[in-house]
Amino acid sequence: MKKLLTALATVLVVGALAAPVSAAYKSEYKLDIVPSLTTAWGQGAQYFADLVKERSGGKINIKVYPNSQLTTGKQTNAFMLLRNGTIDFANQSTINYSPQIPELNLFALPFFFANEPDRYKALDAVTGGKSGKMGAEALEKKGGKFIWFGENGFRELTNSKKEIRMPDDIKGLKMRVVGSPLFIDIFKTLGANPITMAWSDTMSAIQQGVIDGQENPILTFYPLKVTDYHKYVTNWHYVADPTMFVCNPNVWKSFSAADQELILKAAQDAAKFQTALSRAGIDENDGGKSAAYLKSIGKQPESEDWNKTLTDAGATVTNLTPAEMKAFADATASVIDAWRDKIGADLIKAAQEDMAAVR
C-alpha cells in the first residue's frame, strides 16, 4: 500500500509540474469595443479574437462585447475599466482613451493629417514611427499594455439640413460629438453647437431629430443606415481615428512568452484586415490594393466605391477640394495652438517629422 501511495503521489507531482500554463488561464477574456460587430472596427476586433482562439487551439478564448456593453455606454471610461481589470482586452479608439491619456489627442488634431499629400501615408508614418511609439509609451505609463495599432478610418460629417462645403455652412448646427474636450473645442470654433452623446444613444437621437448631424468614419455610420436620416455627407477627413489593441497589464503577464507572441501576431494580422476594410473604396491613392488584400484572405470589402454606394443610398456626397479643406484648416488652426502643450509639443513635432519623412 505504501508503494502504491508513493507511486500515486509521484504521478500527481509529475503531472502538476507538467501541467500547461494554460491551466491558470481564464475560461473567457472580455474584449471591449464601442460599435456593433457589423462595422469595420467590430469586424477587426472579432477577427482578432477568432485568430487568437484558432492559433491557441482554443486555449485563449476572447469574447468581443460590442456596443459599449462593458462600459455601460460610457465609452470615455473605457481606459479606467481596462486598467482596473474589469476589461481584459480592448480594441479601442484613441479618442476614447484620450481623456485619461492626453497624448492620444494627437490623432484628433483638426486637419493635421487631412492636408498632407497622402493622409493615409502620413497616418501610417505616425503610428509606425517615433510619435506612435511615444503615444504607446504614454498609454503604458498610465497602466495599459499596448499591443498594436489598428484603424477605424478618417471621420467624415453627415447632417440632415444642408450641404456643407465651407466653415460658415456648419454654423448653428447641433452636432453629436464624443465626450472629448478637443472635439467640443473644434466644433465650437466652427460655430456649431456640439452635443456630447454616447454612441449607443446617437442613433435614436438621429431618428428623432434631436441632433442635426454627427461625425464618424463611413464604415461606422453606414452600416447603421444613418443616411436614411442624414442625406448630406461631407468627406472632409478632419481627424484620424486609429484603434489600439490593448490588454490589462496583469492579464498580459499571465500569458506565457509564446502566447504573448501569438497574441501580438494575431493583433498585427487583425489590424491589417481592419485597416484594409477602413480604406477600401475610400482612399483615393489606394489603387484597389485594400480590396485586393481582403479578397486574398477570403473577405469582401463593404464597397469598392463609397461615393457611389452613398449616392445610391440617397445621400448627397460632397468631396471637399484642397481649397475648401484649407478653409476649414485655417478656421480651426487656433485649436491646434490651444492644445499643443496639453498633448505635448515634443510629440506633435515628432509626428510632423514622421509625416515629413514620407511626404
Side-chain angles (χ1 to χ4, degrees), residues 34-108:
V34 172
S36 71
L37 293 175
T38 61
T39 62
W41 180 350
Q43 290 180 61
Q46 187 60 59
Y47 192 53
F48 168 68
D50 292 343
L51 289 176
V52 171
K53 185 173 184 177
E54 176 189 339
R55 294 173 182 179
S56 68
K59 182 171 61 175
I60 305 172
N61 179 31
I62 299 172
K63 182 177 179 181
V64 180
Y65 286 80
N67 303 313
S68 298
Q69 291 178 55
L70 298 178
T71 62
T72 60
K74 298 176 182 177
Q75 60 204 65
T76 51
N77 290 340
F79 181 70
M80 293 185 292
L81 295 173
L82 176 96
R83 187 174 57 191
N84 70 23
T86 302
I87 294 171
D88 302 306
F89 284 92
N91 178 214
Q92 189 57 263
S93 167
T94 53
I95 296 166
N96 293 323
Y97 280 1
S98 64
Q100 289 80 42
I101 308 164
E103 292 87 347
L104 297 183
N105 283 294
L106 171 73
F107 299 100

Side-chain angles (χ1 to χ4, degrees), residues 161-300:
K161 299 297 183 182
K162 58 184 175 179
E163 184 181 21
I164 293 175
R165 280 196 172 274
M166 297 297 287
D168 281 350
D169 295 333
I170 202 171
K171 286 183 177 178
L173 293 184
K174 293 177 289 184
M175 301 298 302
R176 177 270 174 186
V177 298
V178 68
S180 162
L182 175 52
F183 281 71
I184 294 170
D185 285 356
I186 292 170
F187 280 88
K188 280 187 175 179
T189 299
L190 288 171
N193 178 16
I195 300 171
T196 60
M197 184 180 297
W199 183 238
S200 55
D201 297 328
T202 301
M203 198 62 212
S204 60
I206 289 171
Q207 292 168 340
Q208 295 166 20
V210 173
I211 55 175
D212 298 321
Q214 62 85 43
E215 48 75 50
N216 258 299
I218 293 172
L219 274 104
T220 297
F221 69 74
Y222 178 79
L224 296 181
K225 300 186 183 301
V226 167
T227 48
D228 285 356
Y229 304 90
H230 287 179
K231 294 302 183 183
Y232 300 96
V233 176
T234 300
N235 290 323
W236 63 342
H237 330 307
Y238 84 119
V239 302
D241 192 0
T243 66
M244 303 175 93
F245 288 88
V246 295
C247 186
N248 172 274
N250 291 327
V251 170
W252 183 257
K253 290 173 187 174
S254 74
F255 295 121
S256 68
D259 285 336
Q260 288 176 351
E261 183 64 25
L262 180 154
I263 293 167
L264 170 61
K265 184 62 170 62
Q268 291 171 334
D269 291 343
K272 187 175 180 180
F273 166 62
Q274 190 178 61
T275 299
L277 280 176
S278 298
R279 298 185 183 186
I282 297 174
D283 177 9
E284 60 272 17
N285 296 312
D286 179 72
K289 290 182 293 185
S290 292
Y293 166 71
L294 291 170
K295 291 172 185 177
S296 76
I297 61 171
K299 304 289 185 179
Q300 289 293 323

Side-chain angles (χ1 to χ4, degrees), residues 218 235 281 303 305-312 315 317-319:
I218 293 172
N235 290 323
S303 170
D305 182 349
W306 275 103
N307 281 332
K308 183 178 185 306
T309 298
L310 290 168
T311 301
D312 288 348
V317 181
T318 302
N319 293 293

Side-chain angles (χ1 to χ4, degrees), residues 16-30:
L17 292 174
V21 176
S22 62
Y25 287 7
K26 293 183 180 182
S27 60
E28 177 189 293
Y29 294 91
K30 295 180 172 66

